[in-house]
Amino acid sequence: MPSIEVLSDQLVNKIAAGEVIERPASVVKELVENSLDAGARRVEIAVEQGGTRLIRIVDDGAGMDADDLQRCILPHATSKLRTEDDLFDIRTLGFRGEALPSIGAVAQLRILSRQAGCDAAHEIRVIGGRHEPLTAAAGPPGTTVEVRELFYNVPARRKFLRSAQTEMGHVTEQLARIALVQPGVEFRLLHNERQLHHLRSAEGLRSRIADFYGKEMADSLLDIHRDERGLKIHGLIAPPADSRSSNKWQYFFLNGRFIRDRFIAAALREAYRGLMEPSRHPVAFLALEIDPAVIDVNVHPTKIEVRWRDSNTIYTQVLSAIRDRFLNCDLTNRLTAAPLFASSPTDRSRDPVDHHSLTTVEHDVHDTRSRQIRESIAEYFRRVTPTVGAPPTRLDTSFPSVSAATSGGDFTADLTAAMPAPAMKSESAGQPRMNLALESPPLGNIIQIHRSYLVAETPDGLVVVDQHALHERVLFEKISAQVRSGPLESQRMLIPEPIDVSPDQLAVIETHAETIHQLGFELTPYGPNSIAIHAAPTLLREGRMIEFVRDMIDRLTVRESPAAADMLLNDLISMMSCKAAVKAGDPLSVAEMRELMTLRESVERSSNCPHGRPTSLRFTLNDLEKQFKRT
Ligand code: ADP
Ligand code: MG
């Protein structure tokens, strides 16, 4: 083994940089935090080429004198920590004295600073770890830090950098994590000299959310406040009906610092359990304040995680804060306006608090409403001749093989009133005989149970079908096939539907214009912060369409790898199938059940839904006989 050597400062800094400086966004985080620690009221961030060419932060904070300027670039040099005790009473964002030397080790760093009340300004440079002498300079009070050519001397790191646009997305995200809870500070963010955000001071959390994520989201949020057992909680949360397909919109802050935390996340999940589909995620911006003495923020290099002395209090207080809010507001109205959600009755009965009664009420109201609608439609079709203009079912009727099966158009789900109109597909040539009974089962041999499963008799036993999983699978195959041969069939909107988006989402939409077009959408920019939906695929019902577009944008925004275009399309198709399919909990008419069972035969691989769950279970007579010990 070679002998042991103590590493040079330059090398130590470069290693430290690996932990703290991962990409341009990390530089922005460290520098803006320094500005805030210096008491800045205005911070301007100018970025070029996603931050790889230049990141310049100008603040109006306390500034540094010549001595401090010379010291600030040394490893473990900080003005924020004096004694060991201070480590357990951290009230600043920084304290480790690592950021500036780390940045200086992997880029060309220039710091210009003038202390408030001082006439003289000074400047210092560090080029790839090499310190240059301090010089006198001119500048306004405050500090300007310029970082050029990030990772120019670390090719391994540079390789991991993404496109300027992606890096800029990270920078914006980083700014959001800081600015959302610094309402007193004015921020400006520019990319290649174009202004992306201008956040004025004295704006609250809600208006900053509007700035980053759109007014629509901001307006829908409910505010929460709680101050108990030494923990202050305030924030904004979305009603359960406005859930999202990813947890990207869950922001937790502790004493003004963005953190990730599994206890807060668990409390949030628990608060929404039973109020939305299990695969969805709540939107929540939660700011916690607690005595710094009861936490340890020094457990992670970028301080994104903390250690609590009493995690139980955190969990129960966050949970109670959200539950109390739900109990004190009229979720009923909001939820009835939203699409069906599939909370199973068992979920609700397991729920320890009383808000389950609220969901039950909601369910009943919803049921009554949809029953009334169904009845009036049925009534209408009882009056008109059943042969022309059969009512569309919610299943996809454009499959040629099934049009016959739907022409009876029954919405009453009443077996005796149903118009039989047997499926004609059995006449098609070349089908194996075995399947015939399944394709056109005699009426009465399919039933729906628990509004979620279909049970159908087959020649050799029975099959139990998960209605949502099967329909999703059917749609997935159909959409995939159509997309391969051209854009999905779409329908123009009478009135374009606007949706709020952030500037980086707008950029993502432009990048993926082709994919979006293939999926049957026509989206155009509509003002600086929104898009308009001009056309949408016919198979998405109206309520689902906006939800899908939001989910699609979310998905396009979080996706990193540009290589897997096919995978992306596949993901989107599977999301669309899920949105367009009937849900567990949707009552199906006899015609719809028939249609679904017929469609089942028309797709290959129909035994698994796109998520890989099975769509149907078979039981043969043989199985049954064994179970009943007949054999
Ligand atoms: P830390 O923030 O952990 O103290 P840094 O390396 O980020 O470590 O900064 C070192 C020191 O430089 C800080 O403690 C602070 O005294 C000084 N400093 C850095 N940036 C600024 C700024 N924008 N304004 C005033 N002082 C600054
Ligand atoms: Mg710092």
Side-chain angles (χ1 to χ4, degrees), residues 30-31 33-34 37 80 93-100 303:
E30 294 297 332
L31 297 183
E33 285 186 349
N34 280 348
D37 281 344
K80 303 168 193 173
L93 294 166
F95 59 87
R96 294 161 64 116
E98 279 177 328
L100 294 179
K303 312 174 202 84

Side-chain angles (χ1 to χ4, degrees), residues 455-474:
V455 181
E457 188 179 351
T458 63
D460 63 344
L462 64 97
V463 56
V464 182
V465 166
D466 176 331
Q467 66 184 41
H468 171 70
L470 172 60
H471 196 209
E472 189 179 19
R473 174 84 244 169
V474 166

Side-chain angles (χ1 to χ4, degrees), residues 15 17 49 107 133 186 190 213-214 220 227 233 249 294 331 435 444 446 461 472 483 491 509 534:
I15 293 170
Q49 284 305 101
E186 177 180 344
L190 295 98
Y213 308 113
S220 73
D227 185 355
I233 303 170
W249 289 273
V294 300
L331 282 187
N435 282 338
I446 313 174
E472 189 179 19
V483 165
Q491 193 169 21
I509 293 167
H534 291 276

Side-chain angles (χ1 to χ4, degrees), residues 23 205 237 275 291 314 326 398 403 409 424 441 476 518 585 611:
R23 58 184 353 144
L205 175 60
I237 58 170
L275 294 172
D291 180 355
I314 305 301
F326 284 167
S398 56
S403 46
M424 292 301 150
F476 181 82
Q518 267 178 292
H611 304 312

Side-chain angles (χ1 to χ4, degrees), residues 3 14 39 69 86 159 162 167 198 238 249 300 322 338 358 406-407 445 493 510 542 554 566-567 593:
S3 64
K14 222 165 163 175
L69 197 52
D86 292 349
K159 270 214 297 276
R162 305 285 175 187
E167 292 303 335
H198 184 188
W249 289 273
H300 189 278
I322 301 174
L358 211 145
T406 57
S407 58
N445 280 349
M493 320 277 285
E510 278 164 23
E542 211 180 308
D554 292 359
D566 270 5
M567 229 170 79
M593 287 192 263

